[in-house]
Amino acid sequence: MNINKMDLNLLVYLDVLLREKNVTRAANQLNITQPAMSNGLKRLRDLLNDPILVRTSDGMVPTERARELAPVVRGVLLTLEETLQPNKDFEPLNSQRVFRIMASDYAASTLIPALLKKMRVQAPLTSLDIMTPSDVTFHDVENGKVDMAINRFDQLPQSFHQKTVWRDSFSCLINASDPIVKRFNLDSYLKAQHIWVSKTGFGVGVGMDPKDVQKLGWVDEALAKLGKQRNISVFTRNYHVAMHLAVGIDLIATLPSRAAKLYENDPTMAIMDPPFAIPSIELKMIWSPLLHQDASHIWFRRLIVETADELN
């Protein structure tokens, strides 16, 4: 193949086609007509001597060759966009920029208030648009539609930049009037009823099965290593829901300590150390390589790090 004779726009077509797996959606993504995208797919098939996408009962499915090319093409395009992106100076005091972040309600309640105070002083005209994990996909972050995602992540694309915000231990939040507070040990913990709470990564959550320990996360995996299992009465993806439920009902919420400490001045609540060892969690911030050299984004990243360091 002579790359000098290749239309580099076909790389963009290939990238979008392999992500959307649909000619019409790919055309809409690039704001071109469906026939134009179909013609682009035909040219790609001729160029690569491969069908690229094959129609099956499950829709259009990439060939093995296409799956091999997908991360390579994506990486080339991201590097090109990052290199060609103009770098402008950023003046926080005069900027009216909107910073869009995806944050779990754990991060939103423990980190964002202090961050916002700093923004109000250093960049008073800027705005903060806080989105939930179910509002955002990896592609939104990768394409720079979202400035930052702050959450716990099990897996991340290698193209993303990332930094640890902090590590956090676990605490148990219990109604102070519950008799268990006076005899809190592993045996009483296991006999009690519990609230399960977790939200990692991106996307819409799925239903939970109390028997599927591997999908229940840190707390239940730690218990499983002891050959134990807790009784879960409520599943939620919202930390504030879990904390409010623990306030009024005889349920235990085992959650990150920074979230539990939001109730440390509430006399109706007791914060207890778990009666068994639970590995700490890591809160990370991740962002697109497209934004890595952007002056306003550099300022924003530094402000988040500075805020986290002060809270630590």
Side-chain angles (χ1 to χ4, degrees):
M1 182 190 299
N2 186 348
I3 195 169
N4 292 326
K5 296 181 179 180
M6 179 182 175
D7 181 355
L8 294 182
N9 283 321
L10 290 178
L11 288 180
V12 179
Y13 286 19
L14 179 60
D15 176 55
V16 177
L17 280 165
L18 293 180
R19 283 191 282 120
E20 295 295 338
K21 300 180 182 63
N22 181 284
V23 173
T24 301
R25 288 201 302 269
N28 292 337
Q29 184 86 327
L30 293 179
N31 293 313
I32 62 175
T33 64
Q34 193 267 349
M37 180 57 76
S38 295
N39 182 58
L41 177 57
K42 180 180 182 301
R43 292 169 63 193
L44 282 165
R45 284 168 168 166
D46 293 340
L47 182 69
L48 299 174
N49 193 28
D50 187 271
I52 308 297
L53 290 171
V54 178
R55 191 177 302 280
T56 70
S57 58
D58 294 324
M60 299 290 276
V61 176
T63 63
E64 183 63 30
R65 172 71 169 144
R67 284 196 292 268
E68 291 174 356
L69 286 172
V72 178
V73 172
R74 180 94 283 249
V76 168
L77 291 176
L78 284 173
T79 300
L80 187 59
E81 288 185 53
E82 181 182 355
T83 303
L84 297 178
Q85 193 173 53
N87 190 21
K88 300 178 181 178
D89 292 334
F90 178 65
E91 299 179 358
L93 279 175
N94 300 319
S95 175
Q96 296 183 15
R97 191 190 193 287
V98 177
F99 290 97
R100 291 186 172 85
I101 65 173
M102 181 282 277
S104 64
D105 69 315
Y106 161 63
S109 59
T110 55
L111 173 68
I112 302 305
L115 174 65
L116 189 56
K117 285 182 180 179
K118 285 185 171 294
M119 291 180 68
R120 296 297 298 152
V121 173
Q122 298 185 29
L125 302 179
T126 59
S127 302
L128 195 58
D129 183 7
I130 304 171
M131 310 172 81
T132 69
S134 58
D135 295 329
V136 175
T137 67
F138 275 124
H139 292 313
D140 292 329
V141 177
E142 188 176 51
N143 295 333
K145 294 180 180 178
V146 177
D147 291 294
M148 191 79 67
I150 306 175
N151 203 353
R152 294 175 292 148
F153 301 97
D154 295 328
Q155 293 181 330
L156 288 171
Q158 291 184 351
S159 61
F160 283 10
H161 292 280
Q162 59 178 283
K163 184 173 179 60
T164 298
V165 178
W166 62 49
R167 301 189 71 87
D168 200 358
S169 61
F170 279 84
S171 294
C172 297
L173 192 63
I174 311 171
N175 189 308
S177 64
D178 192 322
I180 197 176
V181 173
K182 296 181 180 179
R183 48 176 177 78
F184 194 59
N185 52 43
L186 182 58
D187 185 57
S188 60
Y189 181 92
L190 294 174
K191 289 179 180 178
Q193 298 296 312
H194 295 264
I195 306 165
W196 178 94
V197 56
S198 182
K199 183 60 181 174
T200 60
F202 295 85
V204 179
V206 296
M208 298 302 300
D209 182 352
K211 298 179 182 179
D212 194 349
V213 174
Q214 289 186 334
K215 292 185 177 180
L216 292 179
W218 291 266
V219 177
D220 297 278
E221 287 179 4
L223 281 173
K225 289 179 180 179
L226 300 175
K228 306 295 183 181
Q229 187 172 359
R230 59 178 174 166
N231 303 310
I232 301 174
S233 296
V234 179
F235 293 89
T236 178
R237 282 81 183 158
N238 188 296
Y239 286 92
H240 278 286
V241 169
M243 291 186 284
H244 280 301
L245 289 175
V247 168
I249 308 175
D250 59 342
L251 296 173
I252 299 175
T254 306
L255 52 140
S257 297
R258 291 177 185 269
K261 286 179 180 178
L262 295 174
Y263 282 83
E264 63 183 349
N265 296 320
D266 186 339
T268 67
M269 297 305 299
I271 300 175
M272 314 285 289
D273 291 332
F276 57 98
I278 307 174
S280 61
I281 61 167
E282 190 174 26
L283 185 70
K284 287 186 176 183
M285 62 180 194
I286 64 171
W287 62 95
S288 168
L290 297 179
L291 297 170
H292 189 62
Q293 303 299 333
D294 180 84
S296 64
H297 200 272
I298 292 172
W299 173 86
F300 189 53
R301 296 198 304 267
R302 288 175 177 169
L303 194 67
I304 293 174
V305 172
E306 180 183 314
T307 302
D309 287 344
E310 291 180 2
L311 290 173
N312 284 330

